[in-house]
């Protein structure tokens, strides 16, 4: 499950995005041998007081990451690579 807010930041608001970690993505992809694994993306829109859910297959997320340039260095000690997917690439709005 991945979640984000429609807007992040108070001083300089910008659109939220879903952070997908490569290590987690690999684990989910490997466990998908019977095509039963899914990502669930949850969008919180506090202005509209609404929650939107969208499910995507791991193969779809792989394609989205590849189309947007692949994995990026995360800059975090806990995990090495990530990709931040914009809301409109994941959620049907």
């Amino acid at each position: 499950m991945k979640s984000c807010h429609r807007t992040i930041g108070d001083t300089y608001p910008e659109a939220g995005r879903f952070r997908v970690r490569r290590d987690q993505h690999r684990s989910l992809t490997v466990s998908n041998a019977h095509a039963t694994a899914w990502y669930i993306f949850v969008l919180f829109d506090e202005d509209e007081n609404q929650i939107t859910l969208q499910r995507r297959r791991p193969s779809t997320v792989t394609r989205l990451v590849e189309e947007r340039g692949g994995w990026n260095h995360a800059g975090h000690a806990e995990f090495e690579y990530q990709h931040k997917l914009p809301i409109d690439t994941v959620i049907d709005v």
Side-chain angles (χ1 to χ4, degrees):
M1 179 181 301
K2 296 293 175 182
S3 63
C4 77
H5 291 268
R6 178 162 303 276
T7 305
I8 56 173
D10 293 324
T11 306
Y12 302 104
E14 61 179 81
R17 54 206 176 269
F18 295 100
R19 182 190 312 250
V20 179
R21 291 176 40 179
R22 185 175 74 172
D23 60 334
Q24 292 175 343
H25 182 71
R26 283 184 175 169
S27 294
L28 187 61
T29 302
V30 168
S31 70
N32 194 28
H34 300 289
T36 57
W38 291 88
Y39 273 96
I40 302 298
F41 291 94
V42 182
L43 174 62
F44 299 102
D45 189 333
E46 294 172 353
D47 294 336
E48 298 293 327
N49 198 27
Q50 182 177 2
I51 296 173
T52 304
L53 302 174
Q54 178 76 52
R55 71 181 191 161
R56 296 282 183 200
R57 294 197 178 277
S59 59
T60 302
V61 175
T62 298
R63 180 181 52 79
L64 292 171
V65 168
E66 289 173 354
E67 287 175 352
R68 297 185 42 77
W71 300 101
N72 304 302
H73 286 282
H76 299 278
E78 311 88 61
F79 56 96
E80 191 174 354
Y81 290 95
Q82 69 178 5
H83 193 91
K84 294 178 182 176
L85 291 169
I87 292 167
D88 61 355
T89 63
V90 177
I91 302 284
D92 294 330
V93 286

